[in-house]
Amino acid sequence: MLAALIGFLGDFDLAEEAAQEAFAIAAERWPRDGTPDNPGAWLVMTGRNRAIDRIRRRQVLDAKTRLLERPEAIEDEVDENPFPDERLELVFTCCHPALATDAQVALTLRTLGGLSTAEIARAFLVPEPTMAQRLVRAKRKIKAAGIPFRVPPDHLLPDRLSAVLAVVYLIFNEGYGGRHELVVEAVRLGTALTELMPDEPEIHGLLAMMLLHDARRASRFRQGELVLLADQDPSLWDREQIEAGRRALDRALALHGRGPYVLQAAIASLHAEEQRDWAQIAELYGELSRVTDSPVVELSRAIAVAEEQGPEAGLRIVERLPLEDYRYLHSTRAELLRRLGRVGEARDEYGRALELAHDDAERRLLERRLAELGGAAYGSSTSSSGST
C-alpha cells in the first residue's frame, strides 16, 4: 500500500501520512459498517483520496493539483495485488545514486521492509536519532532531486544493482532472527530481480543463499531458544527449498558468478549437507574474505579452520580481528577457549558476548552455555560451527 501511494504521489512523507490516515479510518468504520470486499483496494483508494484532500488544502503546485483532479476511482478498479512491481520500483527509487549507500539501504528498509527506525539503527550500529535524521535527509533528497519512481532503463540497471542487493540482503538478515514475513519479502524481491535481470549471477546467488538458509528455519529454534547449526535436526530441513536454492546456485555458476553472494550461497549449500566438508568451506571463506576484505568473513573462516585443523588454529585467526564490539567474536573466542580447556578465559568471553546480545533467544542460549561451564548465567558461545 505504501509503495503504491509513493508511486502515485511521489512524496514519501505524504504517502506515509495518507497510509496512517487510511488505517485509522478503517479501524473506525470497519467494525461498524463491515469489512469491504477488497480491503487492500479500499485502503489504497482511501489513502489516495486523503492525500488529494491534503494537497488541495495546502494549495500546492497547480500542475500537480490538476493531475490529481480526476473522477474518484471505485475499489473494483484495484486488484487484490494491484501493483505487482510497485515494491520493486520503490527499491530502485530508494537506491538512486543521488543518495549515499547507507541512506539507500536505510530508506528501503524503512519504507519497503517495514522496519522501525530503532531496528534499522541497530542493523547499522548507530544511535536511533542518527538514523532518524539520515532517513529524513534521504526523503528530502529524493523530493528535491525529483528522483523518478520507476525501475531504471536497462543500461542503468547494473550500476544500481549493488545497492539493491544490499537492501534485499539486509531485509533477509533482519527477518532471519525470527520475523519470517521479512524473509518472505526478501525472497519475493530476489525472485522478482531474477526475472528482471536474468543474466546477473549475483542476483541468482543472493536468491540461492536466502533459500538455502531459510530452508533450515524449522530447526533453528526450540522452546524459545536458538539452536545452533551443529545441533539442528536435519529431518526438519525443507529439502524441496534446499533443492530450489541449489538450482539458483547452479544458474549463478553457469553464468560464471564468483561474487560475494554466489560464494555465500556455495557455502550455505555445503552447510546443508549432513556431513560438512570443512576444508572446502574454509577455502570458500578464504576466497570470500579476499573479495570482501571483511573481518566478519574472516571470523567465519576461523570457525571453519578450527573444525578442520583444531581450535588453536582457529583462535590464531580470531585473535587478530578488529571486532571487539561484535558479539560473535566473543562467543566464538569463548567456544574455542572452552575447547582448549581455558575455562576462566572462556567465561569472560561468554560474559562479554552476553553484554552485547540483544535477542532474547540468543541470550538464553548464551546463558545456558555459561551455566554449562559452571559460571553465573552471564554469557556463551555462538557455536562450534559459528552458524545458525
Side-chain angles (χ1 to χ4, degrees):
M1 175 186 172
L2 182 61
L5 289 172
I6 293 172
F8 179 73
L9 299 165
D11 187 310
F12 281 77
D13 291 328
L14 183 58
E16 288 178 345
E17 291 169 2
Q20 290 168 5
E21 285 192 53
F23 277 105
I25 294 168
E28 177 188 350
R29 293 185 185 175
W30 291 4
R32 183 187 67 220
D33 302 335
T35 304
D37 293 337
N38 192 332
W42 190 98
L43 287 165
V44 170
M45 299 312 303
T46 300
R48 179 184 294 188
N49 290 337
R50 286 285 163 160
I52 291 171
D53 291 343
R54 188 180 292 265
I55 289 173
R56 285 172 175 157
R57 285 196 303 269
R58 292 176 181 173
Q59 296 182 334
V60 295
L61 297 175
D62 290 342
K64 191 161 191 176
T65 303
R66 284 196 299 273
L67 175 64
L68 296 175
E69 286 174 348
R70 56 183 64 176
E72 185 170 322
I74 58 173
E75 66 179 55
D76 289 340
E77 291 181 6
V78 187
D79 298 330
E80 194 65 40
N81 184 21
F83 305 104
D85 288 324
E86 285 289 341
R87 285 174 288 186
L88 193 59
E89 291 172 348
L90 179 56
V91 171
F92 278 102
T93 300
C94 293
C95 296
H96 194 278
L99 301 175
T101 300
D102 57 355
Q104 295 172 357
V105 176
L107 185 59
T108 308
L109 287 171
R110 179 74 184 92
T111 57
L112 184 88
L115 275 66
S116 68
T117 303
E119 288 171 322
I120 302 169
R122 189 172 70 231
F124 277 89
L125 304 177
V126 299
E128 185 175 348
T130 300
M131 181 53 64
Q133 285 301 312
R134 191 174 296 174
L135 289 166
V136 168
R137 286 195 298 268
K139 292 176 184 178
R140 288 174 179 168
K141 179 80 171 183
I142 287 176
K143 188 173 183 180
I147 292 173
F149 183 84
R150 61 180 173 85
V151 175
D154 290 347
H155 70 283
L156 293 178
L157 278 173
D159 291 339
R160 302 275 289 279
L161 184 60
S162 177
V164 170
L165 293 182
V167 166
V168 177
Y169 186 35
L170 278 178
I171 292 173
F172 176 82
N173 277 346
E174 188 66 28
Y176 195 61
R179 297 180 61 185
H180 187 243
E181 72 278 7
L182 293 181
V183 172
V184 171
E185 180 67 12
V187 170
R188 190 199 69 79
L189 285 168
T191 302
L193 285 169
T194 63
E195 295 168 358
L196 182 68
M197 304 175 70
D199 297 326
E200 289 288 343
E202 279 290 81
I203 298 176
H204 295 280
L206 175 59
L207 179 60
M209 183 197 69
M210 294 189 295
L211 289 170
L212 288 163
H213 281 306
D214 185 52
R216 295 188 284 102
R217 179 177 71 255
S219 66
R220 292 186 63 244
F221 295 92
R222 184 186 303 128
Q223 296 179 342
E225 184 176 304
L226 191 65
V227 179
L228 304 173
L229 180 57
D231 302 323
Q232 290 173 11
D233 180 358
S235 68
L236 298 175
W237 295 353
D238 187 332
R239 293 294 170 182
E240 185 176 335
Q241 189 164 317
I242 288 173
E243 289 308 310
R246 285 175 172 159
R247 286 194 297 272
L249 175 59
D250 288 343
R251 174 62 177 158
L253 294 173
L255 291 167
H256 309 291
R258 211 64 185 178
Y261 294 113
V262 176
L263 290 170
Q264 288 178 77
I267 293 167
S269 181
L270 290 173
H271 276 306
E273 300 285 353
E274 291 191 37
Q275 296 296 322
R276 294 175 189 87
D277 185 339
W278 287 109
Q280 190 175 0
I281 291 172
E283 183 179 344
L284 285 170
Y285 270 126
E287 186 174 349
L288 182 61
S289 180
R290 289 189 290 274
V291 169
T292 62
D293 193 28
S294 166
V296 173
V297 173
E298 273 293 281
L299 180 62
S300 296
R301 185 176 76 86
I303 295 165
V305 168
E307 292 291 342
E308 181 196 4
Q309 301 175 22
E312 234 175 270
L315 190 60
R316 283 196 295 270
I317 299 171
V318 171
E319 296 290 5
R320 64 173 185 256
L321 299 177
L323 294 169
E324 283 307 309
D325 291 328
Y326 188 56
R327 64 190 184 278
Y328 296 129
L329 173 82
H330 297 283
S331 58
T332 300
R333 183 186 284 158
E335 173 65 18
L336 298 177
L337 289 167
R338 182 195 65 78
R339 288 204 221 168
L340 290 168
R342 295 158 63 176
V343 176
E345 294 172 83
R347 283 199 195 103
D348 291 340
E349 292 299 325
Y350 288 155
R352 180 60 177 149
L354 186 55
E355 286 175 356
L356 295 169
H358 54 73
D359 178 79
D360 288 342
E362 187 176 293
R363 290 178 64 86
R364 284 190 287 270
L365 171 65
L366 294 170
E367 289 166 351
R368 179 171 63 81
R369 283 299 179 89
L370 182 58
E372 289 170 355
L373 272 188
Y378 182 58
S380 176
S381 156
T382 50
S383 82
S384 59
S385 68
S387 179
T388 60

